[in-house]
Amino acid sequence: VSTQSTGISVFLLISMSSQGIFIVGAKRTAFGTFAGKLKGFTATELATHASKGALRSGKVDPKLVDSVVFGNVAQTSTDACYLSRHVGLKSGVPVDKTALTVNRLCGSGFQAVISAAHEILAGESKIVLAGGTENMSMAPYHAYDLRWGTRLGQDPKLVDSLWTALTDAHAKTPMGITAENLAQKYSISRKDVDAYALQSQQRWAAAHKEGRFTQEIEPIQVKGRKGPEDFAVDEHPRPETTAETLAKLPPVFIKETGTVTAGNASGISDGAAALIVASEAAVKEHKLTPLARVVGWSVAGVEPTIMGAGPIPVIRSILSKHNLKLSDIDLVEVNEAFASQYLAVQKDLGLDPAKTNVNGGAIALGHPLGASGARILTHLVYELKRRNGKYAIGSACIGGGQGIGVLIENIH
């Protein structure tokens, strides 16, 4: 296992100790299920909607934004190569400002915030619009070599871009098998993963009932059966789930003895989240109200066939670099790629379930690849304040064998 700080230099470390980096606005769309209410919105459109909401919530004039950084993985729309630039322009960011689209797979939303912090520490930006977005429902089928023609009577082969995105070609391993590998390594049973999946659904349901997601969600107008309607509640969760219904689902990757099912894996979905990241000088100059301070981050490499272990070295690295213990952290989010993956991380680190994924995770909400990291940070910003906690860590595993995490502090 190797850990790093995404190339951060000694200069940046010194800079970070002498100035603060703050999140001053944060919003997300509700997440749509696969082929659900958001299927017709491009990732650019979803990101723009979340961005406008984040700017309004932070009372930040878009003309003050110096840079736009967004994570996006599958690039499913025809304009995806322009994504961050178009998000900025559509959100009112001046033409002479810059834009960058990043792809660290499932960690892309986290990486966007880290890259924003890098720009601030390097003195290149004062205010950055950062986030993540994905429309997995739009994932196309590809016809390679069709440009060069086909023989008479030969049908072109279509490749499912969504399935290939969920398979590590180098390791020749689907993401679901990496979860099965972790289940075997950490002696995690089918009963264990189903129980955790049920907990994720139940925690989301309880949080929804209490309105814990209301502040973070920017409603988006969609086509309803009776005309336009506001979409403001995550579509993928199934609060009616029971242990019995989960137990009836067949294993997907290893028949008979496998642990991964459709019910205990993260949902394929669509959505976006955006955060406004600002320097301490910008906060003072423009009288912005900080929601949280970005304290630090870490990225790690792990064996690709157990990619779900990525958050383990990441969280250890964050704690070590900031002289903290796990008991000092009030909230922890580990993206729920698979229940077995989460349970492996929990078991290895000794995470307290009462502090971790307290309002459910991707098994309930869904996992729009590039958006999840930004969604987790957005949620932690508000949940940390609601609980009057001090520190929170958001983290995710990354296909191909990486992990990523960000430490934030409630400054009130």
Side-chain angles (χ1 to χ4, degrees), residues 26-288:
K27 285 286 185 176
R28 69 173 178 96
T29 66
F31 281 3
T33 196
F34 188 52
K37 292 184 177 181
L38 296 183
K39 69 177 181 179
F41 293 85
T42 68
T44 301
E45 290 169 332
L46 293 173
T48 300
H49 186 79
S51 296
K52 289 180 177 179
L55 289 162
R56 279 195 298 269
S57 72
K59 297 180 181 179
V60 177
D61 185 339
K63 294 179 182 179
L64 299 176
V65 173
D66 299 303
S67 175
V68 180
V69 184
F70 257 82
N72 182 242
V73 178
Q75 304 255 302
T76 57
S77 63
T78 55
D79 64 346
C81 59
Y82 298 93
L83 191 145
S84 286
R85 179 60 170 164
H86 284 180
V87 169
L89 295 176
K90 289 173 183 289
S91 299
V93 176
V95 171
D96 63 339
K97 303 307 180 182
T98 60
L100 172 68
T101 303
V102 297
N103 182 357
R104 201 187 280 272
L105 298 171
C106 301
S108 298
F110 285 118
Q111 183 60 52
V113 173
I114 293 170
S115 295
H118 283 174
E119 290 190 11
I120 291 170
L121 291 170
E124 296 174 349
S125 298
K126 293 181 180 179
I127 298 177
V128 181
L129 169 59
T133 183
E134 205 77 45
N135 186 309
M136 300 178 77
S137 297
M138 283 189 175
Y141 282 87
H142 292 156
Y144 292 97
D145 295 331
L146 189 60
R147 183 182 299 277
W148 317 122
T150 59
R151 293 181 180 179
L152 179 66
Q154 183 181 37
D155 294 325
K157 180 183 178 181
L158 295 179
V159 178
D160 184 350
S161 66
L162 182 56
W163 180 250
T164 56
L166 301 176
T167 303
D168 183 347
H170 173 74
K172 298 180 175 60
T173 309
M175 294 301 100
I177 292 295
T178 71
E180 294 286 12
N181 292 341
L182 284 172
Q184 183 176 10
K185 179 178 179 179
Y186 286 90
S187 300
I188 297 167
S189 69
R190 170 66 187 273
K191 185 177 180 180
D192 294 333
V193 295
D194 281 352
Y196 182 76
L198 180 61
Q199 175 183 285
S200 183
Q201 297 285 359
Q202 291 174 337
R203 287 188 171 186
W204 178 90
H208 169 62
K209 185 177 181 180
E210 294 179 13
R212 296 184 196 174
F213 300 114
T214 303
Q215 194 172 10
E216 69 192 55
I217 291 178
E218 184 72 13
I220 184 170
Q221 195 171 84
V222 301
K223 293 180 181 178
R225 292 182 179 180
K226 299 180 180 180
E229 62 183 33
D230 281 344
F231 178 56
V233 177
D234 297 309
E235 188 178 18
H236 185 269
R238 297 188 176 184
E240 74 281 2
T241 299
T242 65
E244 290 73 25
T245 57
L246 288 169
K248 291 177 182 178
L249 296 173
V252 176
F253 297 94
I254 301 177
K255 293 183 179 180
E256 306 298 335
T257 60
T259 62
V260 178
T261 73
N264 59 45
S266 58
I268 297 172
S269 55
D270 312 319
L275 303 96
I276 313 301
V277 185
S279 69
E280 186 171 348
V283 168
K284 292 177 180 177
E285 180 181 354
H286 302 292
K287 296 180 174 58
L288 304 176

Side-chain angles (χ1 to χ4, degrees), residues 293-316:
R293 182 172 73 94
V294 179
V295 181
W297 52 82
S298 183
V299 181
V302 298
E303 166 57 43
T305 56
I306 52 168
M307 67 90 200
I312 296 170
V314 159
I315 291 175
R316 286 199 174 112

